[in-house]
Structure formats: C-alpha cells, structure tokens
Amino acid sequence: MPNRAQEIFQPQFRFGLGGVSLGNEFNKHTDKEADATLAAAWEIGVRYFDVAPWYGFGLAERRFGRLLHGKKRSEYLLSSKVGKLFKASKNNRHAEIYPLSDSPNDIVYDYTADGVRRSIEDSLQRLGVDSLDIAFVHDISPDFAFFPNGWEEQYEISRKGAFPALSKMRDEGIVRAWGIGVNTLLPILKVMEDADPDVCLCARQYSLIDHASAVNELFPAVRKKGISLVIGSSLNAGFISGSPRYNYGKENFKIPAEAIEKRARLQQVADRHGVDLRIAALQFSAAAEVAVALVVGARSERGGPKPRAELLACARGR
C-alpha cells in the first residue's frame, strides 16, 4: 500500500466518550443514569462519541442515540464499529455473552462487504442519526474469544470484504474515515499492509501501565504508513482509577502482580507531585504524536470540579 502521510486523518475533536460502560459491560446502569452521564459529557464540552453494536448488544448505541439524535449533526464526531449484526430472538444468548445487557438479541458475525453496509445501516437506526464519521472493523484480534473458528478466518473475510467496502464507502462520502478497532497490535500492523485505513482504534495497548510494545512496534509503523490512532483505555478499563479489573474479558479480575506493583509506584509519584493519577494517565495517552484522539469510558455524571476542568481542556484539544 502507498504511504499516505500527506492524508493523515485529523478529527476536529480530540477527546471522546466511549460506550463500553454504558453498554453495561462492567455494571448494570439504568437508562436514567446513562442519560445523566451523556448529558454531563455534552455539558462539559465532549463532542466525540465512540460506540459499537457489541456494547450491550445494541444497548449503548440506543442510549447514545437518545442524546445525539437531538443535536446538530455537524457539532460532534461519531464513530461506531462493524462486523457484528444482531437479530431479536426469544432464545438469545445475551445471558451467556453480555449478561448485564438484558438484550433480546442474538449475534451474527459478518465481516463481508454486504455485512458492513448492513451493520452501518443498523447502527444509524439505533443511534437515530444519518451518518457515521468513522467506522472501525471490530475485534478481529487474537484476544476476542467468541469467534467460532478463530480470528484469522474473520480477518481474511474482512480483508476481502469489509476493507475494500469501507474504502469505497469513504470514497463515496458515506463515512469520512475507516480503520480497525482492536485490543492487540498485530491486526493493526497487518491491516496497514493489506488495505488503506485512515485511523485505527488502539484500544488497550498504550497506557501508563503498558506501552512498550506500542512505542517500539506500532508507532514506527504508523508513522511510516501515515495512519493516525485513536487511543482507548488509557485507564486500562478503570484499573488506574482503582477498579478491581484490568482491561477486558471474563477473567479481567485476575490482575497481574506486576500491574498492581506498577500502579502503586505510579500513585506514589503522583502523590509526591500533587497530581491526580487519572489525569496524568489521560495526558500521557493523549500526548503521543500519532494519537489524534483519546476515548475514555464513564459510568456516571459525577466527577468533581478538577477532573471536569481537566476533561474540558482535553475536549478542546489543549
């Protein structure tokens, strides 16, 4: 693929609210609580929103849509994911895969060209809006545990179907940009060789706790190819904030001892300098020159004045 360094995707908003938590992945939240969280994010100046059909089997997109469908479309940036379709079923598997979602849906994995178009159409209906800015091909990664025949098969389907379809949709103006959204480095390195993405969601590989591989392997390749990155999970799914989990997955409660030790050392440094460790972690992940935006999850509207002020500064790109 040609070097696209002169075409680096630069979104107008650098701070985004992610939809994992409001899809009830970690805890069960009511619609009222979700509405309050989203309203608070808009109030402090957040104008980038990142969701996915996977988050709550459609729940997060419906919740974000209640806020966004009433806003002027040009006032915010919106990304969602493709590759997973949902069908209502009385015998659905949500209790097995996404137990807190209370979803009526079953999942169908579809990374074909037709599946991508259907996925975007379905997302727009759930969100109540007319367009996406960014479409990320979701979870074609070694860590995703639910594919029936492994991630490599789904990646190959994407290479032949989703990738060229999204490039065509970008050229047609249906989406502004596309890439993949994954939790590991290998698929991002592969897609840059196999297709012409604009921006990828680096969903858990670059944080204060874990960043060596991203710095040494991913960032040089991204610079060479002229691709930009959205950085996700700068708090390691809340771990840096003190949550009893580390990243994602059914066994994320099994936190590596070295991660706990590193968080303790970082907290000591933050305390010595009177710094909120959460804010330091956000600023660290946002500072990389290849990072054009940062996506952070939230589960409530509560935050206090200092975090709110810092988040507003991030949202304005300072």
Side-chain angles (χ1 to χ4, degrees), residues 4 166-173 175-176 178 196 198:
R4 304 172 63 248
L166 287 167
S167 290
K168 184 177 180 182
M169 293 171 74
R170 178 193 60 209
D171 297 342
E172 293 171 348
V175 297
R176 289 176 54 194
W178 76 272
D196 63 340
D198 307 279

Side-chain angles (χ1 to χ4, degrees), residues 47-65:
R47 293 296 183 272
Y48 174 23
F49 301 90
D50 176 73
V51 289
W54 174 253
Y55 304 156
F57 278 27
L59 178 63
E61 287 187 324
R62 294 198 303 273
R63 286 175 165 174
F64 276 62

Side-chain angles (χ1 to χ4, degrees), residues 298-311:
R299 64 182 178 87
S300 79
E301 79 278 19
R302 297 184 297 276
K306 183 177 179 181
R308 281 187 172 221
E310 294 284 356
L311 292 178

Side-chain angles (χ1 to χ4, degrees), residues 44 276 278-279 282 303-313:
I44 67 169
D276 186 319
R278 298 170 299 172
I279 299 302
L282 297 180
K306 183 177 179 181
R308 281 187 172 221
E310 294 284 356
L311 292 178
L312 182 54

Side-chain angles (χ1 to χ4, degrees), residues 184-231:
T184 62
L185 301 182
L186 178 59
I188 300 179
L189 296 172
K190 282 179 62 63
V191 74
M192 289 189 294
E193 297 297 328
D194 293 337
D196 63 340
D198 307 279
V199 55
C200 289
L201 175 58
C202 181
R204 78 172 192 208
Q205 309 97 320
Y206 187 66
S207 72
L208 272 175
I209 296 289
D210 180 12
H211 53 264
S213 295
V215 170
N216 295 326
E217 300 175 46
L218 181 62
F219 289 4
V222 164
R223 294 187 196 100
K224 182 179 179 180
K225 290 291 185 179
I227 306 299
S228 56
L229 295 175
V230 173
I231 304 296

Side-chain angles (χ1 to χ4, degrees), residues 81-112:
K81 319 295 193 306
V82 299
K84 297 167 184 173
L85 304 177
F86 293 92
K87 298 172 61 176
S89 170
K90 291 183 178 179
N91 300 312
N92 64 77
R93 298 174 59 203
H94 90 265
E96 174 188 342
I97 300 176
Y98 231 111
L100 300 180
S101 69
D102 291 335
S103 173
N105 295 325
D106 261 342
I107 188 168
V108 177
Y109 302 109
D110 192 340
Y111 292 87
T112 65

Side-chain angles (χ1 to χ4, degrees), residues 151-162:
W151 79 278
E152 294 94 341
E153 178 178 304
Q154 301 301 330
Y155 181 93
E156 186 62 16
I157 294 171
S158 300
R159 187 183 68 80
K160 296 177 180 179

